[in-house]
């Protein structure tokens, strides 16, 4: 079974920059996995931030950006704000059967 | 505007069955791939499964933890997707979200999300 790993938690200062990553337990992440990123804050449904590695979803500010860094997918938040605090999830697609696998999520604290 | 409204979440006992629904509006539902995703208390998001549009075959795919117990269907005339959950276990307690899969730029991802419906499995 495919396992996708993320940092369990991260902390960033207001105005700071943070990069969250998404890795495969076995193998490297590439654009062929169509990495996407989602934010969930308490009491809210998930919000789509990034799809297809680096395309921002409609209405997402440009301080959110996606990339491939080495063997991982990455989400970088530049100029972090208090309301960026929440849980961030990556999803990779296994194109053999077009199944989606969520990473375990990263809880981001802004303080 | 895309709207997805889940309904049908209730308290059920272990071993029972339940069907929840997702009513869609604001987009071409019949041409859309649709998914279910859940979040259990204290856990992360988990992909449950997908149903393709009928024009793409209408086939389904499921995550490993629900394969064989859950099934997804759709009624395009009612713009509604369903999740039939059988042999429910305590671990199935979660908020269940429906999502679109827009296939923009030929990429797979979840687009719009509903507000979710809570399914509680407890004796």
């Amino acid at each position: 079974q495919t396992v996708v790993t993320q940092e369990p938690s991260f902390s960033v200062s207001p105005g700071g920059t943070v990069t969250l990553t998404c890795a495969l337990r076995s193998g490297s992440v590439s654009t062929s996995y169509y990495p996407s990123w989602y934010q969930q804050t308490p009491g809210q449904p998930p919000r789509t931030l990034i799809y297809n590695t680096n395309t921002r979803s409609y209405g997402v500010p440009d301080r959110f950006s996606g990339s491939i860094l080495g063997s991982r997918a990455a989400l970088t938040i530049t100029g972090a704000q208090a309301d960026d605090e929440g849980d961030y999830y990556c999803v990779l697609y296994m194109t053999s059967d077009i199944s989606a696998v969520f990473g375990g999520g990263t809880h981001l604290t802004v303080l | 505007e895309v709207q997805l409204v889940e309904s049908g979440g209730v308290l059920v006992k272990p071993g029972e069955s339940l069907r929840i629904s997702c009513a869609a509006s604001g987009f071409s539902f019949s041409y859309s791939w649709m998914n279910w995703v859940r979040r259990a208390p204290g856990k992360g998001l988990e992909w449950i499964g997908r149903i393709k549009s009928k024009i793409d075959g209408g086939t389904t795919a499921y995550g490993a933890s629900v394969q064989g117990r859950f099934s997804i269907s759709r009624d395009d005339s009612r713009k509604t997707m369903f999740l039939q959950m059988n042999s429910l276990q305590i671990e199935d307690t979660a908020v269940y979200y429906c999502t679109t899969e827009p296939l923009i730029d030929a990429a797979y991802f979840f687009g719009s999300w509903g507000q979710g419906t809570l399914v509680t499995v407890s004796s």
Side-chain angles (χ1 to χ4, degrees), chain A residues 97-111:
Chain A
D97 58 0
I98 323 179
S99 61
V101 182
F102 276 90
T106 297
H107 183 75
L108 180 68
T109 302
V110 181
L111 57 75

Side-chain angles (χ1 to χ4, degrees), chain B:
Chain B
E1 179 193 0
V2 172
Q3 286 208 339
L4 299 169
V5 179
E6 302 91 338
S7 62
V10 292
L11 170 65
V12 296
K13 290 181 166 52
E16 292 185 340
S17 297
L18 181 67
R19 187 178 83 159
I20 60 176
S21 304
C22 170
S25 62
F27 65 102
S28 298
F29 179 80
S30 62
Y31 289 98
S32 297
W33 294 18
M34 299 293 295
N35 289 256
W36 288 99
V37 171
R38 71 183 179 185
R39 185 168 186 183
K43 304 236 169 149
L45 295 170
E46 179 186 13
W47 180 68
I48 297 302
R50 168 204 297 112
I51 186 165
K52 294 183 180 179
S53 61
K54 285 196 168 53
I55 200 169
D56 288 325
T59 55
T60 53
Y62 301 95
S65 67
V66 304
Q67 180 79 44
R69 296 190 301 126
F70 289 12
S71 64
I72 299 173
S73 60
R74 63 191 298 158
D75 183 341
D76 289 347
S77 67
R78 292 164 58 188
K79 297 185 180 180
T80 301
M81 175 177 64
F82 304 98
L83 178 64
Q84 176 69 41
M85 300 181 283
N86 298 327
S87 304
L88 280 160
Q89 304 162 2
I90 291 174
E91 310 83 81
D92 295 316
T93 295
V95 176
Y96 285 75
Y97 299 99
C98 72
T99 84
T100 61
E101 194 167 358
L103 298 172
I104 296 172
D105 299 331
Y108 304 109
F109 67 102
F110 304 121
S112 300
W113 298 75
Q115 290 293 315
T117 189
L118 175 62
V119 173
T120 304
V121 185
S122 174
S123 54

